[in-house]
Amino acid sequence: MIVAGVDGSDAARAAVAWAVDDAKRRHEPLRIVHAVNQDPYRFSRFHASPEPELLARMAQDLVNEAAEQAGERQLDVEVSTEIVEGPAAVALREQAKDATEIVIGSRGLGGFEGALLGSVSLHVAGQAHCPVVVVRPEQESVRGEVVVGVDDSPECEPALEFAFRQAELRASTLRAVHAWQPPVQLYAPQVNYDPDDVTAAANQAVAARIARFREAHPQVVVVEDVRRAHPVDALVAASAQAALVVVGSHGRGGIRSALLGSVSHGVLHHARCAVAVVRQ
């Protein structure tokens, strides 16, 4: 089952469109979820809490509208709705135990004007134990490449599997991007190194890393793209012609609200298309 979080924003409507299209490709049902959180009203001295009946009616109207949008876009996808209590980030994270993936908008109604990414999307992408796809309001297209970041870490494996599957479902080219930067000490004049040798070694490492995925998905056309650049810059550049960028999460921290590594965090903020964060 695919879960789409909605709040009435343009980004949420784009997320519903993305989610129902993916549900169609995967032959899975779609669950549309909206969280009703009364905590801001309970703890604010300036705002009176709306009547529970009013909140319930507004929530029902919101999920009904989203379900109608999904049904009009893909007639043969099974669509259900659910209204849950509590903060949106926590409610969506709890959906992960039943979900193939969670799809959310990049910034909801409560975000700061001009912000590229909201706190809910960061929280869910960093903590949900299933793939999380973050969709920008202008990004509904399913055309273009699937881009995946490749490195030598274990976190890369689930991202590769997700990316190959997406490319297979879409009949899209998969671009496997590996970016490398010379260590600081290599800039010392007494150190000699050949960038061509580094690139050749990186090409071999990428080919070895993706070999078993190519074997499992032989119909997927793969472009191995090794660049001398920062990983965020390389993936953001590749996102310009992509329908989806897939990154693994290397977050290690226990106290941060979103357990994301710097690369996945940077790509979420700056990519020009939908981004899937896939944790181990």
Side-chain angles (χ1 to χ4, degrees):
M1 176 182 59
I2 293 173
V3 172
V6 298
D7 63 359
S9 65
D10 289 342
R13 282 186 279 273
V16 169
W18 201 100
V20 74
D21 286 351
D22 212 39
K24 169 76 171 179
R25 286 187 290 266
R26 290 176 176 272
H27 304 288
E28 293 193 24
L30 171 65
R31 177 192 292 169
I32 294 171
V33 177
H34 174 66
V36 178
N37 183 19
Q38 298 192 50
D39 289 348
Y41 300 104
R42 294 193 184 103
F43 299 112
S44 173
R45 68 178 69 180
F46 303 109
H47 302 287
S49 177
E51 291 295 326
E53 294 80 5
L54 175 61
L55 285 176
R57 189 163 60 250
M58 292 170 61
Q60 192 62 56
D61 288 345
L62 195 151
V63 296
N64 287 347
E65 178 186 351
E68 182 178 355
Q69 173 198 350
E72 290 175 352
R73 188 175 180 96
Q74 298 291 352
L75 294 175
D76 53 352
V77 171
E78 177 187 340
V79 179
S80 62
T81 62
E82 184 175 352
I83 299 170
V84 295
E85 293 280 344
V90 176
L92 288 170
R93 188 186 67 199
E94 290 298 312
Q95 297 285 327
K97 58 188 176 185
D98 300 322
T100 301
E101 67 190 19
I102 295 174
V103 186
I104 52 177
S106 58
R107 186 171 66 89
L109 293 175
F112 292 103
E113 189 66 29
L116 294 175
L117 203 66
S119 59
V120 172
S121 50
L122 275 174
H123 179 104
V124 178
Q127 296 194 348
H129 292 288
C130 73
V132 176
V133 181
V134 179
V135 184
R136 298 197 184 283
E138 67 277 7
Q139 179 70 27
E140 295 185 22
S141 172
V142 297
R143 297 184 180 277
E145 297 178 334
V146 173
V147 173
V148 61
V150 183
D151 60 23
D152 59 357
S153 70
E155 291 87 353
C156 181
E157 299 279 323
L160 281 169
E161 179 56 45
F162 185 90
F164 267 86
R165 180 62 174 149
Q166 280 288 326
E168 182 179 68
L169 289 169
R170 297 163 176 267
S172 297
T173 297
L174 177 73
R175 181 173 296 273
V177 175
H178 174 80
W180 66 273
Q181 293 177 292
V184 174
Q185 62 267 28
L186 292 183
Y187 289 107
Q190 67 271 23
V191 177
N192 293 318
Y193 82 104
D194 187 342
D196 291 338
D197 290 342
V198 177
T199 300
N203 278 320
Q204 292 177 356
V206 170
R209 171 66 77 177
I210 68 175
R212 71 179 181 90
F213 298 99
R214 297 186 81 154
E215 183 177 354
H217 304 273
Q219 65 274 45
V220 175
V221 176
V222 180
V223 175
E224 297 176 14
D225 187 343
V226 174
R227 309 184 186 195
R228 180 179 174 179
H230 189 279
V232 173
D233 294 336
L235 290 166
V236 169
S239 74
Q241 285 79 42
L244 177 68
V245 173
V246 183
V247 292
S249 176
H250 294 206
R252 303 289 195 272
I255 199 169
R256 295 162 62 187
S257 61
L259 304 183
L260 294 169
S262 59
V263 172
S264 50
H265 193 280
V267 173
L268 274 171
H269 272 284
H270 299 295
R272 303 174 192 177
C273 64
V275 177
V277 177
V278 185
R279 300 183 67 201
Q280 280 192 305

